[in-house]
Amino acid sequence: MFELHADDDRVRHLAAADPYMARLTALIGTITFGKRGDLFGSLAKSLVAQQLSVKAAATIVRRVGEVCGEWTPEALLAAPEEGLRAAGLSKQKLGYIQGLAQAVLRKELDDEALRNMSDEEAIAALTKVKGIGRWTAEMFLIFSLGREDVLSLGDAGLRRAARWLYAEREGDVDLAQLGEKWRPYRSIASFYLWEAVNRDLVLEK
């Protein structure tokens, strides 16, 4: 289990660097969450979740798990395609996940190798797999590899929360510029922005 709180040095750094972030971290308080699982399971579930609501994605993840028995490349490739399609996987997403499984088995994607890469090197390796875009790769770096200084500029939730926090109701915010204040803990800042969305504090559409 991973926890962020006011006495954490990383949170203190953010609060000292940015008064808006100081107010946000005080408002949110403690955040507790778990890291995602292994390389294949984490990425495969992210592929399932693309363009779906959290609830719909969770339902399909559960059903696919029931078909496969476990979230491993071997189990996914051995499972009957009709069962996986019946569980809710589209033909396209099934193809993506099968391609991912094959890449992991061929060691084209390797967890230990990714851990030893820089952020950009890891993103480049991940996005070579069909279906994995930059956002999915960034989420893997943050939630599975525990990288602390990743800022996903294309994440809609982060942009919404930043507009709310900085009161930019009629325009967009320069997330990249804001992120410069948060280095080297841009992932930590992101957790607080996401939590503001999760707690329905962000009312702006």
Side-chain angles (χ1 to χ4, degrees):
M1 191 64 70
F2 188 72
E3 184 176 273
L4 292 170
H5 50 78
D7 291 329
D8 188 298
D9 287 342
R10 296 165 297 184
V11 178
R12 288 178 180 273
H13 175 90
L14 290 171
D18 182 351
Y20 288 90
M21 192 57 62
R23 288 198 287 271
L24 178 62
T25 56
L27 176 65
I28 296 295
T30 300
I31 304 176
T32 304
F33 51 90
K35 282 188 178 181
R36 294 181 183 173
D38 65 287
L39 171 67
F40 175 74
S42 177
L43 288 172
K45 291 171 187 177
S46 290
L47 288 171
V48 170
Q50 287 178 357
Q51 299 178 320
L52 293 177
S53 69
V54 172
K55 184 177 180 180
T59 298
I60 296 174
V61 165
R62 175 179 56 78
R63 290 175 178 170
V64 171
E66 291 170 353
V67 173
C68 295
E70 57 183 344
W71 280 86
T72 64
E74 296 86 352
L76 189 286
L77 291 172
E81 288 196 12
E82 60 271 21
L84 295 171
R85 291 294 303 279
L89 285 181
S90 67
K91 182 177 180 180
Q92 183 182 56
K93 286 188 178 181
L94 177 56
Y96 289 162
I97 295 171
Q98 288 172 330
L100 170 65
Q102 292 162 353
V104 171
L105 290 176
R106 290 194 298 261
K107 296 293 185 181
E108 292 169 9
L109 274 187
D110 179 76
D111 187 68
E112 189 61 32
L114 288 168
R115 291 181 185 279
N116 290 322
M117 293 178 185
S118 69
D119 292 343
E120 287 302 322
E121 287 171 341
I123 289 170
L126 288 162
T127 53
K128 287 179 181 177
V129 178
K130 192 172 184 180
I132 297 179
R134 186 176 181 90
W135 179 85
T136 300
E138 289 167 340
M139 295 306 106
F140 181 77
L141 264 63
I142 294 170
F143 289 100
S144 293
L145 298 186
R147 301 291 175 90
E148 295 184 337
D149 195 32
V150 176
L151 181 61
S152 184
L153 299 178
D155 187 273
L158 288 181
R159 302 193 75 86
R160 281 183 58 218
R163 285 196 298 270
W164 163 79
L165 181 62
Y166 292 88
E168 294 292 340
R169 301 290 180 177
E170 298 180 1
D172 207 349
V173 292
D174 188 336
L175 198 56
Q177 185 177 39
L178 291 174
E180 291 303 311
K181 301 178 183 179
W182 307 334
R183 288 182 183 273
Y185 300 120
R186 292 180 296 169
S187 301
I188 307 301
S190 298
F191 286 131
Y192 281 96
L193 291 167
W194 279 321
E195 189 66 13
V197 175
N198 293 340
R199 295 189 189 183
D200 294 324
L201 299 174
V202 180
L203 302 177
E204 175 265 339
K205 294 182 180 180

